[in-house]
Amino acid sequence: MPTVSSEELAAAAGVNSAKLRKDFSYLGSYGTRGVGYDVEYLVYQISRELGLTQDWPVVIVGIGNLGAALANYGGFASRGFRVAALIDADPAMAGKPVAGIPVQHSDDLEKIIEDNGVSIGVIATPAGAAQPVCDRLVAAGVTSILNFAPTVLSVPDGVDVRKVDLSIELQILAFHEQRKAGEEAAASDGAGPVAAGRDGSAAADKGPDGDVPAVMPA
């Protein structure tokens, strides 16, 4: 039976092994001294705590290039998420199979949500359509939304929204690249390390987390 020690897990995660063992104890997993943790059971305990041991039906609204790519993503099923329906406002898309699932028209959104017991919705529409789609999803009973549309959604209390903005992630990477280039240029000029602030901390262009700027470019 495959096992893994807390030291091996801590090294892989970059954390302290004592803290890792303490965290695992909250899952009810204590391991065996000199043996470690049963890998299969540990994976089950973590999955159970994350709510991944049950089937979560998901609808994707907006089956353009991004929506179709999400529908074809194979990682959903392995993590407990089942794409129950694909929905689009284009009548020409109705009935067209994407990833083996026929696209349904948005006129039937509420019925689709009810029939499939959906509580998680994915929005991959253009920005202008995202809020009306969000409002309909919420009214139909969806309480968790993953938003890929380039806009901020307004939702009532009790509804969770996670926004995925690839441009922001690229901006963060661009900032890191620019900073590394600046450090390399300073080193080649013999300027030494980045100047410290009054309190001895790194230069003032860093944000409150000491890593990225407090305000990213729009």
Side-chain angles (χ1 to χ4, degrees):
M1 183 177 297
T3 60
V4 63
S5 70
S6 59
E7 286 76 15
E8 289 173 312
L9 287 171
V15 298
N16 178 275
S17 61
K19 185 177 187 305
L20 181 138
R21 287 192 296 271
K22 181 179 179 181
D23 289 346
F24 280 174
S25 70
Y26 292 116
L27 301 176
S29 184
Y30 298 95
T32 303
R33 183 179 296 275
V35 176
Y37 296 87
D38 178 333
V39 173
E40 184 176 349
Y41 185 54
L42 183 60
V43 169
Y44 164 76
Q45 288 177 306
I46 294 173
S47 298
R48 178 194 63 197
E49 200 67 22
L50 293 174
L52 303 181
T53 55
Q54 65 187 83
D55 175 63
W56 291 100
V58 174
V59 297
I60 300 175
V61 185
I63 314 302
N65 291 333
L66 177 56
L70 292 171
N72 279 284
Y73 174 56
F76 288 137
S78 64
R79 289 170 172 81
F81 301 97
R82 173 175 55 85
V83 178
L86 305 176
I87 303 173
D88 198 274
D90 184 358
M93 290 288 294
K96 179 181 178 180
V98 175
I101 304 172
V103 176
Q104 300 181 66
H105 194 269
S106 57
D107 285 351
D108 300 321
L109 184 148
E110 288 78 9
K111 185 177 186 301
I112 294 168
I113 299 296
E114 181 181 0
D115 289 349
N116 291 278
V118 173
S119 59
I120 300 176
V122 178
I123 296 178
T125 66
Q131 186 63 57
V133 166
C134 175
D135 293 341
R136 289 182 64 188
L137 287 172
V138 171
V142 169
T143 53
S144 292
I145 293 172
L146 183 60
N147 178 33
F148 283 90
T151 187
V152 176
L153 298 177
S154 176
V155 296
D157 292 340
V159 176
D160 295 308
V161 176
R162 297 289 297 176
K163 179 173 172 53
V164 181
D165 192 325
L166 301 180
S167 65
I168 288 179
E169 301 304 319
L170 287 172
Q171 286 176 339
I172 292 172
L173 291 176
F175 163 73
H176 287 302
E177 286 301 310
Q178 180 170 305
R179 186 179 66 176
K180 285 184 286 188
E183 290 173 349
E184 290 173 359
S188 65
D189 292 341
V194 178
R198 293 180 182 177
D199 60 354
S201 62
D205 63 344
K206 290 187 177 181
D209 61 357
D211 191 18
V212 297
V215 178
M216 292 298 296

